[in-house]
């Protein structure tokens, strides 16, 4: 049976969202479904702002960062009035299936909409933070790691030249996936993560001990600390000035910020986006609804939307063990 399908991208954009849109459009078009893309996340759903999508719009798209549908955070969408308005707009347009590509905030929005709209709702995990329970990785995460690693590599050159301490702040909202794996892959010396943070005092003491041991062994050395955002109570500038007085060394802070959300998706993100998007599209018109399509151990999984945010996703043990063996370690 032919359906009318809608797609929206919501929350922080992530490299690979366009590839996911492409996969959904191609599979749905081939199945004979009509497709529209709502613009500006849930805002477009409230203002009935959309564009028709077919294979022509998604040509040459898999490698493009950002999202052709634009994105937004839509605070008003939490209200019942918004849920009802969105439901009325979807019904007026004759939409049967809605695909939501975004993070946990977007999935909360999708679950809220499900209280007012009887159509099919399917989520796809798109965020650089990788903080979505039920999927091994999220679309955009690998590109953000790559960006962080390339940035730290560059910082390392100047840090080495001056034998300076550098603090590099990475995104992740309240999760440490990007910080942890970015720090490991860039061979950083220390990483400060929300999941493992004990106290300011302990962190400063650890860094000082490690740095002093290195200095005893090798004289002046450069030293790179990766700091997860939203973690250090006084912010990165406070940490830099406290380290400067403790270490009697110049400490320079670098905030990577939104650079980590941009750029062409790396292959791992394209593959994840295309696989999840294509698989999700095959579910159009089925009884599957109110779920996120994720990937676990190389297989697609259907995870109830509520389960994606109810529990905090733990850091993977192998990465934590690797960090312990290679970093935060005075012999590194
Ligand atoms: O969720 C993606 C993300 O980039 C987080 O890593 C970050 O904390 C947040 O979005 C930033 O949000 P905004 O773009 O609204 O400043």
């Amino acid at each position: 049976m032919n359906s009318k399908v809608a797609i929206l991208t919501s929350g922080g954009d992530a490299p690979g969202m366009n590839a996911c849109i492409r996969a959904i459009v191609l599979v749905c078009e081939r199945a004979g479904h009509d497709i529209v893309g709502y613009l500006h996340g849930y805002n477009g759903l409230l203002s009935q702002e959309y564009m028709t999508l077919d294979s022509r719009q998604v040509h040459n798209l898999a490698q493009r960062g950002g999202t052709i549908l634009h994105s937004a955070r839509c605070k008003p969408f939490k209200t019942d009035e918004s849920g009802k308005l969105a439901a009325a707009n979807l019904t007026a347009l004759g939409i049967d299936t809605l695909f939501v590509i975004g993070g946990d905030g977007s999935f909360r929005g999708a679950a809220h909409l499900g209280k007012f709209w009887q159509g099919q709702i399917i989520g796809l995990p798109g965020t650089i933070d990788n903080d979505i329970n039920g999927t091994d990785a999220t679309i955009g995460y690998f590109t953000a790691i790559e960006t962080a690693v390339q940035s730290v590599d560059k910082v390392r050159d100047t840090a080495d030249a001056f034998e300076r301490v550098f603090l590099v702040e990475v995104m992740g909202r309240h999760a440490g996936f990007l910080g942890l794996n970015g720090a490991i892959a860039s061979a950083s010396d220390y990483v400060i993560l929300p999941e493992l943070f004990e106290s300011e005092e302990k962190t400063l003491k650890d860094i000082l001990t490690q740095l002093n041991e290195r200095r005893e062994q090798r004289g002046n050395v450069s030293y790179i600390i990766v700091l997860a955002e939203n973690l250090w109570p006084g912010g990165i500038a406070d940490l830099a000035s406290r380290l400067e007085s403790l270490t009697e060394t110049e400490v320079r802070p670098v905030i990577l910020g939104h650079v980590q959300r941009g750029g062409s998706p790396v292959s791992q993100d394209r593959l994840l986006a295309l696989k999840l998007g294509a698989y999700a599209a095959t579910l159009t018109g089925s009884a599957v609804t109110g779920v996120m399509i994720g990937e676990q151990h190389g297989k697609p999984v259907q995870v109830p939307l509520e389960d994606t945010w109810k529990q905090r996703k733990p850091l993977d043990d192998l990465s934590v063990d690797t960090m312990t063996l290679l970093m935060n370690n005075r012999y590194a």
Side-chain angles (χ1 to χ4, degrees), residues 9-21 61-73 101-103 106 124-132 137-145 147 171 178 258-266 269-270 272-273:
T9 49
S10 156
D13 50 282
M17 279 183 164
N18 277 329
C20 192
I21 294 168
L61 192 60
Q63 75 275 32
R64 275 173 58 191
T67 158
I68 55 164
L69 297 179
H70 302 270
S71 193
R73 303 191 195 279
I101 310 171
S106 310
L124 291 134
T127 165
I128 63 165
D129 301 337
N130 193 31
D131 57 348
I132 306 288
T138 54
I139 298 162
Y141 169 55
F142 297 107
T143 308
I145 294 180
T147 301
M171 277 188 164
L178 194 45
H258 289 77
V259 166
Q260 294 157 103
R261 288 232 298 255
S264 178
V266 298
D269 278 327
R270 294 187 203 187
L272 185 64

Side-chain angles (χ1 to χ4, degrees), residues 188-220:
S188 292
D189 300 284
Y190 198 90
V191 62
I192 309 174
L193 303 169
E195 292 84 349
L196 306 173
F197 184 71
E198 290 178 35
S199 68
E200 292 169 69
E201 288 64 37
K202 170 147 189 345
T203 306
L204 292 170
K205 191 167 160 253
D206 283 354
I207 293 171
L208 203 60
T209 308
Q210 183 177 306
L211 188 56
N212 285 340
E213 295 226 5
R214 300 253 180 108
R215 283 173 168 170
E216 274 163 31
Q217 287 164 6
R218 288 188 254 151
N220 264 349

Side-chain angles (χ1 to χ4, degrees), residues 40-84:
H40 305 113
Y42 289 108
N43 290 317
L45 206 47
L46 296 178
S47 58
Q48 204 63 312
E49 191 190 0
Y50 62 89
M51 64 192 271
T52 305
L53 288 172
D54 61 35
S55 46
R56 282 166 300 183
Q57 273 90 38
V58 300
H59 172 72
N60 216 354
L61 192 60
Q63 75 275 32
R64 275 173 58 191
T67 158
I68 55 164
L69 297 179
H70 302 270
S71 193
R73 303 191 195 279
C74 181
K75 283 204 182 120
F77 203 72
K78 288 185 181 137
T79 63
D80 286 1
E81 290 68 38
S82 293
K84 285 177 195 160

